[in-house]
Amino acid sequence: MEVPINLNSSTSYNNNNNNNNNNNNNNNNNNNNNNNNNNNNNNNNNNNNNNNNRRTVAGEKMDKKVLIADQINEKGIDELKDIVEVIPNFTISNEELLEAIKDFDAIIVRSRTKVTREIIEASDKLRIIARAGVGVDNVDVQAATERGIMVINAPESTSITVAEHTMGLILALSRKIAMADNSVKNGNWEKGRFMGVELNGKTLGVIGMGRIGNQVVTRSKAFGMDTLVYDPYITKKSALELGVTVVDLETLIKESDVMTIHVPLKPETKYLISKSQFEMMKENVFIVNCARGGIINEDDLYNALSNNQIRGAGLDVFENEPPKNSKLLELDNVVLTPHIAASTKEAQRDAAIIVCNEIKKVFKGTSPKNVINMPVLDPETSSLIKPYFTLIEKIGKFIIQTAKGNINEIDVTYCGALSEIPKQDILTR
């Protein structure tokens, strides 16, 4: 059966299709509008959620209080103002601190304020003690550790600054710059009195190859110096990369033309350089200490200098500061500075920013990197167990997603190659 073709009907059909398409388009537009409305609603919800989140952070700000007990760079303080209440009190006494510390979640100090066991035990909610610098001699780390309080510092902030000061003292000694300056200012012109020595070709002995020691070695190479290093923790690979020779302490003392110290003051480094060490040294040696007072026995140093047993010394640190009654003040062949090796604008700025950012990390629930009362790995052990860190982190993320309820305790069993590493205690600290 044939069906006749009616052009009008055909046209009418096309129009109907167009109308249907238009209706569909209208429906689609309506759907799109609905979707847009939904999206807008979602966006509004997200904005509300974001606002709620912001309100939570803003609300939390007043719940955290940080006491800045010593003056630090303003840029560091600016880092904290957005999440915590910052209370600067640069003149607070230990007696006042003992009373006030119970109100604070964190305290920032430099060198003036002493955070003693008594102060730590008087704190109710203290979580962080931050030292805007490197050394923590003024903090009772053991007492803080016993109470689960993090002790944070900024070891990388002063490396270049202290290394430059070290080189400055070495140059001042080798060219008698301080003595010559004083002579000219007194109206003298004694060129023959201030004959110096070159650093080129001389042997530099570095005790302690941490961040500062590394920086000193780098700069000494520009003067053409050879380098001996004493550091129980440096690896052969690191020594090769740095172009230094690792030796024992006695060899370094006997063979160095210039010695510089970059180790912390600990029971094992107290009076590390004393009478017996001075007796081993070359007669023309210079010794520099920009680390900590008490590493060199100052009475023995005075005897070695006054008897011309060694050529000269440069000290930025002293066992008692200031060294008001020190016999070293009487000598010409010693250059003394008032513990200023770390005192540059750049170092103080960086130290403040670093410790304040570390505090922010803790309050935001992330891990700081400069916590000194946590296990510290030497480079060789670190390279051995580093691959396991990534694995453990992934396992932890998996466990936390599958666990039901709160995790109160975790038992870890390790075996195989991991159980054979030389320093087993690092796995159980």
Side-chain angles (χ1 to χ4, degrees):
M1 176 179 169
E2 291 184 15
V3 178
I5 298 174
N6 187 323
L7 293 177
N8 289 332
S9 295
S10 175
T11 302
S12 180
Y13 174 79
N14 288 335
N15 286 338
N16 288 336
N17 282 342
N18 287 336
N19 288 334
N20 289 336
N21 286 336
N22 288 334
N23 288 334
N24 288 337
N25 287 336
N26 288 334
N27 289 335
N28 287 337
N29 287 335
N30 289 334
N31 288 337
N32 288 335
N33 288 334
N34 289 334
N35 287 336
N36 288 335
N37 288 334
N38 289 336
N39 288 336
N40 289 334
N41 289 334
N42 288 336
N43 287 336
N44 288 334
N45 288 336
N46 288 335
N47 288 334
N48 288 335
N49 288 336
N50 288 336
N51 288 334
N52 288 336
N53 288 336
R54 279 195 290 270
R55 279 195 293 271
T56 300
V57 171
E60 193 178 15
K61 177 177 179 179
M62 301 308 294
D63 294 334
K64 306 291 183 188
K65 292 176 70 174
V66 177
L67 173 63
I68 304 180
D70 295 329
Q71 190 158 7
I72 65 170
N73 190 280
E74 282 291 331
K75 289 189 179 295
I77 297 174
D78 291 342
E79 292 290 325
L80 281 176
K81 284 180 177 177
D82 59 335
I83 64 164
V84 298
E85 182 182 358
V86 178
I87 309 294
N89 187 343
F90 304 148
T91 59
I92 191 169
S93 68
N94 272 26
E95 292 75 19
E96 292 168 334
L97 182 57
L98 190 61
E99 176 63 28
I101 195 65
K102 63 182 183 296
D103 297 324
F104 292 94
D105 300 275
I107 180 173
I108 300 174
V109 300
R110 285 184 60 197
S111 298
R112 184 189 70 88
T113 302
K114 309 293 188 251
V115 188
T116 63
R117 176 177 287 274
E118 187 181 15
I119 288 170
I120 290 168
E121 291 179 348
S123 63
D124 294 327
K125 58 178 183 176
L126 193 65
R127 294 176 61 193
I128 307 163
I129 300 168
R131 163 77 162 90
V134 182
V136 289
D137 309 58
N138 55 326
V139 177
D140 192 325
V141 178
Q142 181 62 36
T145 304
E146 289 170 8
R147 293 178 67 91
I149 297 169
M150 295 183 188
V151 180
I152 289 170
N153 67 345
E156 62 268 59
S157 63
T158 60
S159 301
I160 291 173
T161 291
V162 176
E164 289 180 354
H165 194 81
T166 299
M167 293 306 300
L169 288 177
I170 292 171
L171 288 166
L173 289 166
S174 64
R175 300 307 304 270
K176 302 184 179 179
I177 292 172
M179 292 171 63
D181 171 74
N182 187 57
S183 174
V184 172
K185 286 176 178 175
N186 286 329
N188 301 315
W189 195 256
E190 306 170 287
K191 292 179 67 175
R193 181 185 169 199
F194 304 116
M195 182 66 65
V197 295
E198 290 185 355
L199 297 180
N200 183 51
K202 301 298 188 298
T203 298
L204 174 68
V206 181
I207 301 175
M209 272 295 286
R211 293 179 177 88
I212 297 170
N214 269 269
Q215 294 290 344
V216 171
V217 167
T218 300
R219 283 152 183 76
S220 70
K221 288 184 180 299
F223 289 90
M225 301 184 80
D226 300 318
T227 308
L228 299 178
V229 168
Y230 169 70
D231 190 323
Y233 302 105
I234 190 172
T235 64
K236 291 181 180 179
K237 181 182 177 183
S238 298
L240 189 63
E241 290 172 353
L242 289 166
V244 300
T245 303
V246 180
V247 295
D248 58 67
L249 182 59
E250 185 173 330
T251 301
L252 182 143
I253 289 170
K254 288 179 176 178
E255 297 185 9
S256 295
D257 300 303
V258 180
M259 287 175 52
T260 179
I261 298 169
H262 302 287
V263 295
L265 178 63
K266 296 180 177 181
E268 58 267 32
T269 60
K270 178 77 170 177
Y271 295 155
L272 183 68
I273 305 298
S274 298
K275 182 180 179 181
S276 59
Q277 285 74 38
F278 286 119
E279 289 172 350
M280 298 179 197
M281 295 178 189
K282 295 180 179 180
E283 289 185 2
N284 61 352
V285 71
F286 296 116
I287 185 167
V288 172
N289 185 13
C290 290
R292 280 290 179 267
I295 297 172
I296 297 177
N297 185 310
E298 291 175 13
D299 289 334
D300 293 343
L301 173 62
Y302 172 81
N303 291 331
L305 288 166
S306 58
N307 296 328
N308 295 317
Q309 192 174 349
I310 64 172
R311 180 176 287 185
L315 303 180
D316 183 58
V317 290
F318 306 87
E319 192 164 359
N320 296 302
E321 296 184 353
K324 291 181 180 178
N325 300 315
S326 174
K327 293 184 289 185
L328 293 169
L329 302 175
E330 305 166 4
L331 302 176
D332 287 333
N333 56 345
V334 61
V335 178
L336 309 175
T337 54
H339 205 148
I340 57 169
S343 297
T344 63
K345 292 179 180 179
E346 295 84 355
Q348 297 305 315
R349 176 202 63 207
D350 292 347
I353 291 172
I354 289 167
V355 295
C356 289
N357 275 323
E358 294 286 78
I359 291 172
K360 282 175 71 174
K361 288 178 184 177
V362 176
F363 287 153
K364 289 183 174 181
T366 58
S367 298
K369 67 175 183 177
N370 293 326
V371 183
I372 68 166
N373 54 345
M374 290 175 67
V376 177
L377 303 181
D378 62 86
E380 282 189 283
T381 305
S382 179
S383 64
L384 283 172
I385 69 173
K386 188 175 181 180
Y388 295 97
F389 289 163
T390 305
L391 175 62
I392 291 168
E393 185 178 4
K394 289 180 178 178
I395 292 172
K397 288 178 179 178
F398 174 77
I399 290 173
I400 203 67
Q401 292 180 55
T402 57
K404 295 179 181 179
N406 295 327
I407 298 175
N408 297 318
E409 185 178 336
I410 297 176
D411 290 325
V412 179
T413 302
Y414 55 92
C415 53
L418 187 59
S419 65
E420 297 173 2
I421 68 166
K423 297 182 180 179
Q424 280 289 305
D425 68 308
I426 196 67
L427 301 174
T428 55
R429 287 183 195 173

